[in-house]
Amino acid sequence: MFGLMQDRPLLISSLIEHAATFHPATEIVSRLPEGPVHRCTWGEMRGQSKRVANALQSLGVAAGDRVGTLAWNSWRHLALYFGVSGSGAILHTVNPRLFPEQIDYIVNHAEDKVLFFDITFAPLVEKLAPRMKTVTAFIAMTDRAHMPAIDVPNLLCFEDLLAEQSDAYTWPEFDERTASSLCYTSGTTGNPKGVLYSHRSTMLHTLMELAPDTFGASSRETIMLIVPMFHANAWGMPYAAAMVGTKLVLPGPHLDGKSVYELMRDERVTFSSGVPTVWMMLFQYVDANPGLNPKELGIRRVGIGGAAVSRAMLERFENQFGAEVVQGWGMTETSPIGVISKLLPKHDKLSGEELVKIKLKQGRGVWGVDLKIVDEAGKALPWDGVAFGHLLVRGPWICSGYFKGEGGSVLDAEGYFPTGDVATIDPDGYLQLVDRAKDVIKSGGEWISSIDVENVAMGHPAVAEAAIIGVAHPKWQERPLLLVIKRAGQEVTREALLDYLGGRIAKWWLPDDVVFVSELPHTATGKLLKTKLREQYRDYPLPTA
């Protein structure tokens, strides 16, 4: 017997309709690539999204066609989020920080029909356009006054194109399992692989994202999206913002510490999300301007993902900014929410070191995500907070395979997806990353967690950023080498830093040497690029070798 409930499909178009109907006057604030701040409302965003849908129709884009974007966070990109997916086409957000060869591969592999791009990327588009075999139109996301003078076929102006369209459009209804958006991940071996989200997976993910035990956003918030809209759909926050009609602040390409601080202050941002590298730039600006009082910002919560949160970052946000840190773990393949770090009632009695230890864990599983850790043979390991193994996940917003079958079958016999991470899970369900499987340092048959050592090193007042890699050792197979960027105006010696670490980590985890560097390489998503570091220091002569 079936229930007697209306069977309405879970579609992304319902989000913009809800926001425009119940929060029509709530603002969307964008700092544009051209410089000025643009303001519109959720009511106006519905009209712009429908103009996008009509414009796509005029360009010959049909349901299921891929629509590429090379764009920052702005109202224009937001209109594409709803207009493209709402029409039945597939939004393909391309990460502009990838190598040009990767962008070329991704656009061709996705077979994008049209490509929207911010003027920041005009030179890149001009260079790659002749190799983009399936793209029939290139739309510069700007007004007529700022159109780039580039030589690409069928170059159109975004605002002119929308102005020619009507805002009268009826969103089509279709199966909620229909593909809605496409993101490529470079976290796999070989060429980037496409993760194809559905309307259903996106809507379920959005509902869980708003739960009090995850991000708990509401219409009372002002949310600033520092995480780019080309990173796993900005962690789903554009959809969540529409679902509750919150004020949304979009900083465009202006992610330096000064710009972020001033936009937060001027728009009274209460919640923001981003990767640690962006928050470090904010800290550098505050350090360089000692007259600032970060508590004046009024920010209450900061979402951090993409890399483990260091104790230094956690405590700085809490003490200097007065903001709660909401850490999470996920990946493009998990939409991206996998676990979120929120305290349980029993933790109210904790303080000091015990509480910090809980907060630094990546978090507990949320409804919809099943977790397991296994050993090298695939045997499930206990949730005792000690045993660590390969992390696998499954759920309604976890990918079942890659676009066009790249990489073949990826799920195990129970339908779990292998994440490539190594982790522990404690009896309360808190997951703590040990490392990426490919980054674990294997010394004398035991594993050393680079994440733990890096986080402890970041606690030293003279350390701005740290990375640890394994270097070949004749006796122990590998030993850790610590690479450090010093904080501006601060000094620390190798011996002083090793002494600092010695009292805080296991003796056999202590790095065999320290190298001070001026910069560290990062991936296109802001993570430390360990592969490049391992290649660069492959033949490094450890003093203990």
Side-chain angles (χ1 to χ4, degrees):
M1 180 184 292
F2 292 109
L4 298 174
M5 293 290 106
Q6 295 183 17
D7 189 6
R8 305 290 299 156
L10 300 174
L11 301 177
I12 287 171
S13 56
S14 69
L15 295 173
I16 188 62
E17 285 297 320
H18 172 82
T21 301
F22 293 98
H23 307 275
T26 301
E27 278 191 317
I28 298 163
V29 181
S30 305
R31 180 92 184 274
L32 300 179
E34 299 91 333
V37 171
H38 176 278
R39 296 177 186 275
C40 64
T41 65
W42 281 112
E44 292 165 336
M45 181 53 61
R46 173 170 58 185
Q48 298 290 25
S49 300
K50 291 189 171 187
R51 287 189 174 92
V52 165
N54 281 321
L56 293 175
Q57 199 170 48
S58 74
L59 294 171
V61 176
D65 285 342
R66 273 73 72 199
V67 174
T69 68
L70 275 167
W72 300 105
N73 297 6
S74 74
W75 73 269
R76 295 166 180 145
H77 208 173
L78 192 65
L80 291 170
Y81 257 61
F82 296 108
V84 174
S85 298
S87 71
I90 299 169
L91 180 73
H92 173 209
T93 55
V94 182
N95 186 340
R97 294 171 178 158
L98 294 172
F99 295 117
E101 296 76 17
Q102 291 177 309
I103 294 174
D104 176 19
Y105 171 82
I106 285 170
V107 170
N108 283 306
H109 187 268
E111 300 178 81
D112 290 336
K113 184 75 175 283
V114 297
L115 181 68
F116 291 80
F117 65 95
D118 271 330
I119 57 174
T120 315
F121 308 116
L124 176 64
V125 170
E126 184 175 34
K127 176 184 175 182
L128 295 180
R131 301 182 341 226
M132 295 178 174
K133 303 178 183 65
T134 60
V135 177
T136 59
F138 295 85
I139 301 96
M141 296 168 66
T142 188
D143 55 21
R144 176 54 56 183
H146 293 90
M147 278 294 290
I150 56 175
D151 182 20
V152 300
N154 201 13
L155 177 64
L156 303 172
C157 172
F158 181 86
E159 295 200 14
D160 284 356
L161 179 64
L162 262 61
E164 295 167 359
Q165 310 301 322
S166 166
D167 63 1
Y169 181 85
T170 301
W171 300 114
E173 286 197 2
F174 39 77
D175 193 310
E176 63 186 24
R177 294 167 295 182
T178 301
S180 62
S181 56
L182 176 65
C183 292
Y184 280 72
T185 176
S186 55
T188 55
T189 55
N191 286 321
K193 296 179 177 63
V195 178
L196 191 62
Y197 307 110
S198 69
H199 285 259
R200 178 179 185 271
S201 73
T202 300
M203 294 297 287
L204 291 174
H205 182 270
T206 303
L207 285 166
M208 183 46 57
E209 191 164 29
L210 295 171
D213 276 345
T214 50
F215 292 122
S218 74
S219 59
R220 295 176 177 271
E221 300 273 11
T222 295
I223 296 177
M224 182 172 175
L225 279 187
I226 294 179
V227 57
M229 293 169 74
F230 51 77
H231 281 182
N233 292 337
W235 301 349
M237 290 307 297
Y239 306 119
M243 186 172 277
V244 294
T246 188
K247 178 180 176 181
L248 196 56
V249 180
L250 305 170
H254 312 283
L255 300 178
D256 59 283
K258 182 176 187 291
S259 296
V260 168
Y261 189 97
E262 291 178 350
L263 197 57
M264 280 185 169
R265 179 197 63 204
D266 296 345
E267 301 302 328
R268 306 307 301 163
V269 171
T270 60
F271 176 70
S272 186
S273 54
V275 297
T277 48
V278 176
W279 298 126
M280 285 191 281
M281 289 193 290
L282 178 63
F283 291 167
Q284 288 166 4
Y285 173 69
V286 171
D287 290 341
N289 296 272
L292 295 176
N293 174 21
K295 288 186 178 178
E296 74 172 349
L297 298 175
I299 188 161
R300 297 195 295 262
R301 297 192 322 290
V302 174
I304 305 179
V309 177
S310 68
R311 177 171 183 162
M313 183 168 286
L314 172 79
E315 293 181 337
R316 187 157 190 187
F317 269 123
E318 288 183 345
N319 299 330
Q320 191 175 17
F321 288 73
E324 173 195 2
V325 169
V326 183
Q327 183 178 190
W329 168 87
M331 52 201 309
T332 304
E333 291 90 336
T334 66
S335 295
I337 289 179
V339 304
I340 296 291
S341 182
K342 284 288 187 125
L343 297 176
L344 295 170
K346 69 188 227 176
H347 298 137
D348 292 346
K349 301 173 185 176
L350 299 181
S351 62
E353 290 299 315
E354 289 181 309
L355 191 58
V356 169
K357 282 184 180 179
I358 300 297
K359 289 180 178 180
L360 288 178
K361 295 188 177 188
Q362 275 61 56
R364 302 174 75 237
V366 300
W367 174 87
V369 178
D370 297 328
L371 308 170
K372 71 174 177 179
I373 49 175
V374 301
D375 63 16
E376 296 290 343
K379 179 184 176 183
L381 295 171
W383 290 18
D384 57 8
V386 178
F388 53 89
H390 298 281
L391 174 65
L392 292 90
V393 296
R394 70 179 179 188
W397 55 80
I398 312 297
C399 80
S400 60
Y402 292 108
F403 185 50
K404 294 186 175 179
E406 296 292 334
S409 177
V410 296
L411 305 184
D412 75 358
E414 295 181 306
Y416 280 83
F417 175 83
T419 67
D421 283 317
V422 175
T424 67
I425 305 176
D426 71 16
D428 288 322
Y430 282 90
L431 179 144
Q432 185 161 24
L433 293 182
V434 173
D435 233 322
R436 290 290 292 171
K438 59 189 177 184
D439 294 335
V440 168
I441 300 168
K442 297 172 184 174
S443 181
E446 300 290 343
W447 287 358
I448 296 173
S449 168
S450 68
I451 291 175
D452 284 350
V453 181
E454 286 163 359
N455 285 345
V456 173
M458 290 277 287
H460 192 286
V463 174
E465 191 173 8
I468 193 163
I469 56 171
V471 174
H473 191 281
K475 180 178 181 181
W476 302 112
Q477 183 184 358
E478 284 185 326
R479 288 298 298 157
L481 173 67
L482 180 61
L483 305 159
V484 168
I485 299 176
K486 295 178 186 177
R487 186 169 289 173
Q490 299 284 332
E491 283 298 328
V492 63
T493 64
R494 170 189 181 275
E495 290 71 23
L497 191 51
L498 289 176
D499 185 60
Y500 173 84
L501 294 173
R504 293 168 172 82
I505 60 175
K507 186 176 180 180
W508 64 278
W509 282 21
L510 200 65
D512 282 24
D513 207 359
V514 179
V515 177
F516 294 101
V517 297
S518 58
E519 62 180 3
L520 290 168
H522 292 85
T523 69
T525 53
K527 300 175 183 177
L528 286 166
L529 188 56
K530 297 284 184 78
T531 52
K532 185 172 182 179
L533 288 174
R534 284 194 292 269
E535 176 64 26
Q536 185 178 348
Y537 291 92
R538 180 178 55 188
D539 300 320
Y540 184 85
L542 290 171
T544 58

